[in-house]
Amino acid sequence: MTKYVYTFTEGDKDLKDLLGGKGANLAEMTNIGLPVPPGFTITTEACRHYLDHRTMPEGLDAEIEAHLVALEATLGRGLGQADDPLLVSVRSGAPFSMPGMMETVLNVGLNDDSVLGLATRGGDERFAWDSYRRLIQMFGRTVLDLDGALFEDVIDALKAEKGVTDDPDLDAADLRRLVARFKEIVAEQTGRPFPSDPREQMRQAIRAVFDSWNAPRAVLYRRRERIPADLGTAVTVCSMVFGNLGADSGTGVAFTRDPATGWPGVYGDYLQNAQGEDVVAGTRNTVPLAELATIDARSHAELMDIMDTLERHYRDLCDIEFTIERGRLWMLQTRVGKRTAAAAFRIAEQLVDQGMIGLDEAVQRVTGDQLAQLMFPRFDDRAVAGDDVHPLGHGMNASPGAAVGKAVFDSYTALKWSRSGERVILCRRETNPDDLEGMIAAEGILTSRGGKTSHAAVVARGMGKTCVCGAEELDIDTKNRRMSAPGGEVVEEGDVLSIDGTSGRVFLGEVPVVDSPVVRYFEGEIDPASDQADDLVRSVDRMMHYVDAARHLYVRANADTPEDAARARRMGAQGIGLCRTEHMFLGDRRRLVEHLILADTPEERRESLEALLPLQREDFDGILDAMDGLPVTVRLLDPPLHEFLPDITELSVRVAVAEARGESHENDLRVLQAVHRLHEQNPMLGLRGVRLGLVVPGLFTMQVRAIAEAAVDRIRAGGRPRPEIMIPLVGTVQELEIIREDALTVLRRVGEENGMELDLPVGTMIELPRAALTAGRIAENAAFFSFGTNDLTQTVWGFSRDDVEASFFSAYLEKGVFGVSPFESLDVDGVGRLIRIAVDEGRAARPDITLGVCGEHGGDPASVHFFHDVGLDYVSCSPFRIPVARLEAGRAAGRGPGHVH
Ligand code: ADP
Ligand code: MG
Ligand code: MG
């Protein structure tokens, strides 16, 4: 028969899937001899059965009863026993932490009789009635699904009647009245009396915790966090200990190290004469844990000892909940604690130094997201701590970075001011698609409403722009173009603001911004061995050395200019995975492109191409020089041609005016006709990429020649250029075949002209579903594949990023359709599946094919793990994300296959 119930002495910390995080860690603490109030845990398996069949699995009731009887025997008291009651808490605990999503009921076992026994035994009548009213309140809310306000209102009314403000001001008689009234509320609302049978209370509470797994907010939370919906929650039944039995009792929470900085030293809060939930509720002021040493030296010393044990045992920072009942310490919870990015790196480093973990494990304790956080520019800490800085309030840290600018309250002004060279912060209650232009123009975005999936947050993250959202304490009045802060300050349009997207803080005035020391280290400006390097830089340096040796994936950069290429190289790039050529056709050269497009005769076309050739060659010279010795994948021209032509409206007006004045306008008219001809409804799906190469004769061959001639230049100069030629937007092998033939001919010819052999790889992007599905054929004609995951995501989902991200993505995230935008993190199930197919078929057709990815996903942590798992050779990302990709590639290699998070 399946075992559904485990006493604390039976399980251990590795049984999280079965016992939930809370139950597993309570068992672990029990088994290493720490003082845990005895209890037992009902498994997630029981919960799954209950949720599937709407009945408790057979034998569960009997098993629970047997464990309860054993617990009663251990403690020598019966559950709810009238003269000396055993009370228990019924606690939820999922395999993954789901903070605040599910409930816990304390003081189960109290009724009109046992409350008297508790009062006598505890020698404190007020305490007993307070415990009882808490039970009815929590039971009412959690088990009976009543509105918590029903109870809160009664408490508030009673306080008002007595003229007091705090709970502790209510005496035993008041609390007894509350209990009576609460029971009436339960009877009125549910049509049934509050259950007085302790075992019935426990049974109902267990069921309610099971049910809470499917409470709407829990379902939504899981969808967003991508926690599987079918795990279920465990239920832990734990004998009650009381921190509210007077001054020699209390409750607290603590960390074994500072979770903010990572520096050693215990850190926590303590509340005298209180129960656990009071600390969380924040209704009373806690004291720092250190003060416990003067309040109760013995318990304090024991607690320090226990925290030391826990840290050694878990080999990591732990956080704990504890309660002291009349001078006796009890541990109620522990887990490996959350921490800031800086703390994560420092703690991992310290644990290595202390010999507790190896570097292989240390790199698993930090993440690429944390590294990215350490790399954003930030406000100068000293300035923030100083007197010159004026904090206004804070909101949610929606998109990291530090931004300074003048406050504007509408998109139009943001655009206008930024065009005249001002830096602006766009302040809105919330944003919508109409604000897009202003958001693009602004340095940062501040909203007073909405969470991390609000429109402002989603769009800002997509643009990599600093954003603080949901700063509810700031009253943003867009009509009158002003904002007022809780401190009474009024910010008018044009006043300077500083917003910190990493911490969510908002300041009045300009706070100085400094480069992160971690970036200065990556840029080679800080030597990790010197005094200039702090412990954080040293920790990052050590981890980077480790991951660089461990990883299988190469990391390249997306870079289009010699400057970007040089920077990428400093950041550790091992080549360029995507060198775009489109910007090389703008500016002064636009005119030449215009000629090319409008050419009526082959001679005219040749002229334009000949004029473009030396310019292109120069572009490639610089980049190949900056990346000497490393591969540089150059993508031939990709965007729709009309992007290089003048604006259609402007031109139409010019032609119309000239016509009206009877002036000559032949050239404009010709251009206008071409613009009309080339205008597209859906440019993303129009004449671009390889299609351009096929219909504009000479364009791609000119580019190939420029690349080849640049390579010749570099070889003559003693360099080792390694350019690769990449054809975009191929859907079928025939397209590739034609372009590749042409390219090989040009390479041969340039080689002959210069007396050398030019053997440059020619490959293709895989960015259309059809290309992925026919990858075997395509591979026969491609030396390499580079997955263009941006376009592949657009074409697999059938949406255009520019259109959808700003219009409905926030709604999709809000509704949990996806947990994260598929442009931010690769859609493994859909897009990833196509990549797998293409990898398998590509390698089967051409075993030595090089496989890489050049979409933005190349710098996204979860996506990097996927690319490692499918066996790509490299990822390519923006220069700034290279350290993140290096770290995650090393972490992926150390984890073995199958780990995505
Ligand atoms: P959460 O997951 O929300 O932290 P818990 O199950 O840990 O919920 O319980 C809520 C509060 O009640 C915590 O402060 C916890 O320490 C306290 N608590 C839980 N069980 C007991 C118990 N048996 N005795 C005393 N306090 C308890
Ligand atoms: Mg807890
Ligand atoms: Mg593309």
Side-chain angles (χ1 to χ4, degrees):
M1 226 178 75
T2 320
K3 179 175 167 63
Y4 289 116
V5 186
Y6 288 68
T7 358
F8 288 172
T9 49
E10 286 175 309
D12 65 51
K13 68 175 179 356
D14 299 324
L15 287 180
K16 275 202 194 86
D17 288 346
L18 194 63
L19 304 179
K22 207 176 281 168
N25 286 319
L26 281 167
E28 187 78 14
M29 285 201 290
T30 304
N31 290 323
I32 59 174
L34 302 186
V36 175
F40 52 86
T41 297
I42 304 161
T43 63
T44 54
E45 199 181 347
C47 175
R48 288 194 293 272
H49 182 286
Y50 168 78
L51 294 174
D52 285 349
H53 301 88
R54 303 313 303 166
T55 61
M56 293 293 190
E58 211 184 294
L60 177 60
D61 282 340
E63 215 182 326
I64 293 174
E65 178 60 22
H67 277 84
L68 182 57
V69 168
L71 183 64
E72 291 174 326
T74 311
L75 296 173
R77 290 173 286 155
L79 183 68
Q81 181 181 315
D83 57 345
D84 184 9
L86 162 66
L87 305 182
V88 296
S89 57
V90 176
R91 313 170 68 180
S92 56
F96 294 92
S97 158
M98 294 171 52
M101 288 301 134
M102 291 178 304
E103 305 273 5
T104 283
V105 186
L106 301 180
N107 305 327
V108 169
L110 280 175
N111 55 28
D112 293 353
D113 298 325
S114 59
V115 70
L116 302 175
L118 185 67
T120 320
R121 282 286 163 174
D124 185 341
E125 214 184 326
R126 183 190 183 282
F127 149 75
W129 286 101
D130 188 42
S131 303
Y132 195 9
R133 74 91 194 158
R134 285 176 197 254
L135 169 65
I136 305 173
Q137 206 174 336
M138 278 199 222
F139 195 94
R141 247 193 11 240
T142 307
V143 183
L144 305 174
D145 229 4
L146 302 182
D147 183 357
L150 289 170
F151 302 105
E152 292 297 338
D153 290 349
V154 176
I155 298 179
D156 289 344
L158 182 63
K159 283 196 220 159
E161 183 190 315
K162 292 201 59 179
V164 299
T165 50
D166 297 328
D167 287 2
D169 296 331
L170 299 175
D171 61 23
D174 297 328
L175 292 162
R176 190 165 7 173
R177 270 173 68 198
L178 278 183
V179 165
R181 181 68 200 116
F182 281 7
K183 284 198 296 187
E184 280 169 23
I185 292 175
V186 168
E188 284 160 19
Q189 297 286 325
T190 65
R192 260 184 267 173
F194 176 76
S196 61
D197 174 12
R199 278 175 156 69
E200 179 58 24
Q201 289 173 1
M202 189 179 84
R203 255 193 305 277
Q204 288 192 26
I206 291 169
R207 220 172 252 263
V209 173
F210 280 170
D211 282 326
S212 70
W213 177 258
N214 281 332
R217 61 178 173 178
V219 171
L220 189 59
Y221 180 85
R222 284 196 296 273
R223 215 182 273 153
R224 279 199 207 133
E225 300 292 314
R226 302 207 240 178
I227 296 174
D230 54 2
L231 298 176
T233 178
V235 178
T236 293
V237 176
C238 182
S239 48
M240 286 297 300
V241 290
F242 299 100
N244 49 345
L245 272 170
D248 56 355
S249 304
T251 188
V253 292
F255 296 84
T256 56
R257 302 180 182 231
D258 186 336
T261 61
W263 283 317
V266 164
Y267 171 100
D269 299 309
Y270 183 68
L271 192 56
Q272 223 169 333
N273 193 12
Q275 265 200 322
E277 81 243 39
D278 301 334
V279 180
V280 189
T283 42
R284 285 165 57 195
N285 283 339
T286 56
V287 299
L289 190 62
E291 275 186 38
L292 180 59
T294 48
I295 300 171
D296 179 351
R298 219 169 44 110
S299 297
H300 182 260
E302 190 185 351
L303 185 64
M304 294 302 120
D305 228 40
I306 288 176
M307 294 225 263
D308 191 52
T309 305
L310 280 176
E311 198 167 272
R312 283 176 192 289
H313 188 72
Y314 283 86
R315 300 176 307 130
D316 206 347
L317 159 95
C318 295
D319 72 25
I320 60 165
E321 291 175 5
F322 67 94
T323 281
I324 297 173
E325 178 179 317
R326 298 214 161 126
R328 178 133 189 231
L329 175 66
W330 294 99
M331 300 299 293
L332 290 174
Q333 192 172 328
T334 192
R335 68 186 154 206
V336 168
K338 297 230 161 29
R339 64 206 72 185
T340 62
F345 276 86
R346 286 204 184 98
I347 291 172
E349 163 94 351
Q350 289 161 16
L351 293 177
V352 171
D353 285 343
Q354 291 174 18
M356 280 209 238
I357 59 173
L359 264 173
D360 53 339
E361 204 172 333
V363 301
Q364 301 300 340
R365 303 274 183 95
V366 296
T367 66
D369 283 332
Q370 287 169 334
L371 181 60
Q373 278 181 35
L374 298 180
M375 292 176 66
F376 280 103
R378 55 173 79 160
F379 290 123
D380 187 346
D381 284 339
R382 273 166 311 178
V384 169
D387 293 338
D388 298 343
V389 166
H390 190 126
L392 276 183
H394 74 279
M396 269 179 253
N397 49 344
S399 180
V404 180
K406 292 186 172 168
V408 294
F409 295 88
D410 64 287
S411 182
Y412 175 74
T413 311
L415 199 60
K416 200 174 68 184
W417 288 21
S418 88
R419 285 212 175 125
S420 62
E422 298 276 14
R423 292 183 304 166
V424 300
I425 303 285
L426 179 63
C427 309
R428 304 283 293 163
R429 278 208 187 120
E430 51 206 336
T431 61
N432 64 47
D434 296 338
D435 295 314
L436 196 62
E437 281 193 299
M439 295 174 78
I440 294 169
E443 298 294 312
I445 296 134
L446 169 65
T447 68
S448 57
R449 290 214 203 117
K452 287 191 178 178
T453 57
S454 63
H455 180 267
V458 173
V459 177
R461 273 200 302 277
M463 297 195 283
K465 195 149 286 198
T466 302
C467 174
V468 172
C469 70
E472 283 173 11
E473 54 192 18
L474 299 176
D475 186 9
I476 296 180
D477 178 357
T478 47
K479 254 207 208 92
N480 296 305
R481 298 160 181 255
R482 60 163 63 166
M483 162 169 92
S484 42
E489 305 88 342
V490 174
V491 179
E492 307 273 357
E493 184 176 77
D495 291 348
V496 174
L497 287 181
S498 300
I499 64 171
D500 186 339
T502 314
S503 69
R505 286 175 304 179
V506 180
F507 306 95
L508 186 61
E510 174 165 358
V511 179
V513 175
V514 293
D515 267 347
S516 123
V518 173
V519 168
R520 296 183 54 218
Y521 151 74
F522 280 121
E523 288 274 12
E525 290 165 24
I526 293 183
D527 172 0
S530 75
D531 291 351
Q532 252 190 315
D534 62 5
D535 55 346
L536 195 54
V537 165
R538 276 195 300 275
S539 164
V540 170
D541 179 59
R542 198 161 167 192
M543 307 257 186
M544 295 314 289
H545 276 287
Y546 184 86
V547 292
D548 281 344
R551 65 189 155 92
H552 309 166
L553 281 171
Y554 283 79
V555 176
R556 298 194 195 177
N558 297 349
D560 313 337
T561 64
E563 296 73 39
D564 271 0
R567 173 156 207 231
R569 204 166 181 168
R570 290 196 298 275
M571 294 287 205
Q574 296 164 294
I576 290 183
L578 176 63
C579 172
R580 280 166 293 221
T581 50
E582 31 272 26
H583 75 95
M584 301 171 181
F585 289 70
L586 299 176
D588 297 345
R589 304 180 190 176
R590 207 189 194 114
R591 205 178 32 83
L592 296 171
V593 180
E594 212 176 283
H595 279 297
L596 175 67
I597 302 170
L598 299 175
D600 283 332
T601 64
E603 288 74 50
E604 272 180 42
R605 187 175 304 123
R606 195 169 327 118
E607 265 169 40
S608 326
L609 288 169
E610 272 169 13
L612 279 166
L613 177 67
L615 302 171
Q616 273 268 271
R617 189 169 53 221
E618 245 171 71
D619 298 327
F620 297 135
D621 263 338
I623 292 169
L624 290 174
D625 184 21
M627 275 289 162
D628 195 52
L630 297 175
V632 174
T633 308
V634 181
R635 179 177 71 186
L636 304 186
L637 196 66
D638 184 41
L641 264 195
H642 75 76
E643 283 192 14
F644 300 101
L645 293 174
D647 181 72
I648 199 163
T649 334
E650 234 169 76
L651 202 57
S652 308
V653 170
R654 215 156 65 213
V655 168
V657 168
E659 239 158 42
R661 290 189 184 146
E663 292 165 5
S664 100
H665 57 277
E666 208 182 308
N667 197 47
D668 279 349
L669 192 60
R670 228 176 103 207
V671 177
L672 184 60
Q673 278 159 353
V675 173
H676 271 299
R677 198 174 64 235
L678 291 167
H679 182 75
E680 292 173 321
Q681 294 299 333
N682 298 297
M684 187 200 94
L685 300 174
L687 176 59
R688 51 174 287 217
V690 69
R691 304 163 191 171
L692 267 184
L694 287 168
V695 303
V696 182
L699 175 62
F700 275 14
T701 44
M702 181 278 288
Q703 289 199 289
V704 172
R705 178 169 273 276
I707 295 167
E709 289 183 357
V712 169
D713 288 349
R714 292 296 315 142
I715 292 171
R716 293 237 165 91
R720 231 162 53 77
R722 292 178 56 195
E724 305 179 338
I725 294 159
M726 180 155 79
I727 321 294
L729 216 75
V730 164
T732 169
V733 66
Q734 282 83 358
E735 292 169 319
L736 182 60
E737 244 165 32
I738 299 171
I739 297 293
R740 182 163 168 273
E741 282 303 314
D742 290 352
L744 293 179
T745 309
V746 173
L747 291 178
R748 206 173 325 108
R749 210 169 283 151
V750 175
E752 281 162 14
E753 286 162 17
N754 293 280
M756 48 178 88
E757 190 145 332
L758 286 176
D759 190 16
L760 309 187
V762 179
T764 181
M765 294 191 69
I766 301 289
E767 51 186 341
L768 292 175
R770 195 179 189 286
L773 293 170
T774 59
R777 291 286 322 273
I778 291 179
E780 289 165 19
N781 282 278
F784 61 85
F785 284 172
S786 176
F787 291 96
T789 50
N790 292 357
D791 268 320
L792 194 55
T793 301
Q794 299 198 91
T795 50
V796 166
W797 283 83
F799 47 43
S800 107
R801 180 175 191 173
D802 292 340
D803 293 325
V804 297
E805 209 165 42
S807 66
F808 67 79
F809 262 32
S810 56
Y812 264 40
L813 289 160
E814 204 67 57
K815 290 188 195 315
V817 177
F818 27 68
V820 56
S821 155
F823 292 110
E824 262 180 64
S825 195
L826 191 86
D827 155 34
V828 169
D829 296 340
V831 178
R833 175 129 196 258
L834 280 173
I835 292 177
R836 257 182 216 284
I837 292 172
V839 165
D840 291 346
E841 298 192 357
R843 279 243 164 85
R846 186 191 274 254
D848 66 343
I849 193 167
T850 304
L851 301 173
V853 60
C854 64
E856 276 164 61
H857 299 98
D860 166 67
S863 312
V864 170
H865 286 248
F866 172 79
F867 298 135
H868 166 87
D869 287 347
V870 294
L872 295 195
D873 296 297
Y874 70 85
V875 296
S876 187
C877 56
S878 78
F880 201 67
R881 296 295 290 187
I882 284 169
V884 172
R886 285 163 58 197
L887 177 66
E888 290 295 353
R891 296 182 68 223
R895 274 178 170 183
H899 278 277
V900 172
H901 289 287

